[in-house]
């Protein structure tokens, strides 16, 4: 006869085997659910689950992965949609100045145009060639910055001088607006910057204030100290302002405002370039506006930023 100890040992062994088999079946099912979850995330058919039990951290990770992938997909769709819209816009913007160039080329090739026709045609052709050149320049600069290909040439320069020269250039380019642009400076702070690039950014902000507002709008440009170790350029106007729904997208590449026809002119890259230039110099840019009460753009830069 078997002893009680032997019977108990055999019983425990059977229980252990049974428990191992049951645990194996349970763990297999759980792992199968994990595998199915990973596969459904890849197929974008995953449904978030409650992160409970021993596999709660795994479920939580799958939920997070699914959320991030869906956000990535949405960002990719948004980028592709913006890219298509931008291609359509830039194609239209290229064709717009090409039409008068073609028209006056045909006029000059047909018969003998008058001297007045030739002068007028020359002015129109030059104006539209300049517009195309600006579009191409914005494209080139934007993608050089994006790809890290722009050759930065930093030097230390008083911010007041740089901005003052930008204002003078804008007044020379827009002589009819000369009496509506005001400049002031409350600091002698210097920044270490690529002068051409930072001037381009400030010029883009100034051009934006003039282009999107009616004649007579006053634009105040001010250079001042900001938080300790920082200085700022502020461009404020008393024009039409910016729609609240447009503010979050102001600095997006290829995006154009929806308020008026003037906003459709240009590449849609001006403010995006300004933002990228500010960040390239270790600074940042922001905009505030109330529709009907003007807008304020503010660029803050570190004083004598290092390379």
């Amino acid at each position: 006869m078997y002893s009680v100890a032997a019977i108990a040992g055999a019983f425990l062994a059977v229980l252990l085997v049974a428990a191992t088999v049951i645990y194996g079946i349970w763990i297999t099912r759980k792992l199968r659910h994990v595998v199915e979850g990973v596969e459904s995330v890849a197929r974008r058919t995953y449904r978030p689950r409650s992160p409970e039990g021993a596999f709660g951290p795994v479920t939580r990770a799958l939920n997070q992965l699914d959320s991030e992938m869906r956000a990535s997909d949405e960002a990719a769709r948004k980028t592709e949609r913006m890219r298509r819209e931008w291609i359509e816009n830039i194609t239209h913007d290229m064709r717009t100045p090409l039409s008068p160039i073609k028209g006056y080329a045909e006029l000059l090739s047909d018969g003998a145009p008058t001297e007045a026709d030739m002068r007028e045609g020359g002015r129109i052709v030059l104006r539209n060639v300049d517009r195309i050149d600006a579009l191409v320049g914005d494209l080139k600069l934007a993608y050089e910055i994006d790809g890290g290909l722009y050759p930065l040439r930093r030097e230390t320069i008083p911010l007041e001088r740089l901005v003052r020269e930008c204002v003078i250039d804008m007044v020379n380019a827009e002589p009819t607006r000369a009496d509506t642009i005001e400049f002031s400076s409350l600091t002698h702070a210097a920044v270490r910057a690529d002068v051409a690039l930072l001037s381009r950014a400030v010029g883009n902000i100034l051009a934006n204030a003039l282009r999107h507002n009616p004649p007579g709008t006053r634009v105040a440009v001010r250079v001042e100290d900001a938080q300790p170790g920082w200085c700022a350029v502020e461009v404020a106007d008393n024009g039409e302002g910016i729609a609240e729904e447009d503010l979050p997208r102001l600095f997006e590449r290829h995006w154009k405002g929806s308020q008026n026809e003037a906003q459709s002119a240009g590449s849609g890259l001006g403010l995006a370039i300004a933002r990228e230039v500010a960040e390239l110099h270790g600074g940042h840019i922001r905009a505030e506006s109330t529709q009907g009460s003007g807008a304020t753009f503010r660029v803050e830069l570190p004083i004598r930023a290092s390379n």
Side-chain angles (χ1 to χ4, degrees):
M1 295 182 67
Y2 296 103
S3 67
V4 174
I7 294 173
F11 181 72
L12 289 175
V14 171
L15 283 179
L16 180 61
V17 171
T20 302
V21 171
I22 292 172
Y23 179 77
I25 294 172
W26 177 81
I27 197 71
T28 300
R29 287 180 177 176
K30 289 294 184 180
L31 288 175
R32 185 166 61 246
H33 288 159
V34 171
V35 172
E36 290 173 351
V38 172
E39 291 175 344
S40 62
V41 168
R43 294 192 301 267
R44 307 299 195 269
T45 59
Y46 179 83
R47 292 185 178 180
R49 304 168 184 174
S50 177
E52 299 175 349
F55 281 79
V58 176
T59 302
R60 190 177 297 107
L62 284 174
N63 291 346
Q64 180 66 22
L65 178 62
D66 176 68
S67 175
E68 291 176 357
M69 290 187 69
R70 289 180 185 275
S72 177
D73 290 345
E74 178 58 30
R77 284 192 293 269
K78 180 180 178 181
T79 299
E80 177 61 21
R81 183 171 62 252
M82 289 174 60
R83 187 187 68 83
R84 288 197 303 268
E85 292 174 355
W86 175 76
I87 289 175
E88 293 173 0
N89 289 335
I90 202 68
T91 301
H92 173 269
D93 289 340
M94 283 291 192
R95 286 175 176 166
T96 299
L98 284 173
S99 294
I101 292 175
K102 180 180 179 182
Y104 274 92
E106 291 173 347
L107 176 65
L108 294 173
S109 64
D110 292 340
T114 67
E115 184 178 346
D117 287 338
M118 293 181 67
R119 284 199 300 269
E120 178 64 16
R123 284 193 294 269
I124 291 176
V125 167
L126 284 174
R127 183 170 67 246
N128 285 283
V129 167
D130 287 342
R131 183 173 172 185
I132 293 174
D133 184 62
L135 288 170
V136 174
D138 279 350
L139 284 172
K140 181 176 181 292
L141 179 58
Y143 286 98
E144 281 181 340
I145 294 174
D146 187 53
L149 302 175
Y150 186 88
L152 277 175
R153 299 180 178 86
R154 294 181 186 269
E155 62 180 276
T156 300
I157 182 173
L159 186 60
E160 174 187 5
R161 192 179 87 190
L162 184 147
V163 177
R164 185 189 298 275
E165 291 175 357
C166 289
V167 172
I168 291 172
D169 289 343
M170 185 59 64
V171 168
N172 289 336
E174 299 276 352
T176 59
R177 298 289 191 98
D179 60 345
T180 65
I181 303 177
E182 301 173 355
F183 174 80
S184 63
S185 178
L186 303 175
T187 180
H188 298 293
V191 294
R192 187 159 179 77
D194 184 301
V195 174
L197 199 57
L198 189 55
S199 296
R200 179 71 170 271
V202 175
N204 285 357
I205 298 171
L206 278 169
N208 184 77
L210 295 175
R211 182 182 300 125
H212 303 320
N213 286 303
T217 299
R218 304 198 70 79
V219 179
V221 183
R222 183 170 61 186
V223 181
E224 61 185 8
D225 291 319
Q227 56 186 305
W230 291 71
C231 51
V233 182
E234 189 172 275
V235 179
D237 67 70
N238 64 348
E240 297 178 344
I242 302 165
E244 183 178 355
E245 62 270 18
D246 287 348
L247 278 172
R249 303 191 63 187
L250 275 179
F251 302 104
E252 290 182 9
R253 280 191 177 192
H254 316 315
W255 181 82
K256 298 184 180 183
S258 56
Q259 288 180 252
N260 55 52
E261 185 178 352
Q263 287 173 314
S264 66
S267 63
L269 289 169
L271 291 179
I273 288 173
R275 175 182 61 80
E276 290 167 0
V277 170
E279 292 175 354
L280 198 60
H281 286 81
H284 51 266
I285 183 174
R286 69 175 185 268
E288 299 175 353
S289 178
T290 301
Q291 194 165 9
S293 300
T296 299
F297 288 81
R298 185 177 178 87
V299 180
E300 295 191 352
L301 299 165
I303 296 175
R304 288 191 176 87
S306 61
N307 286 317

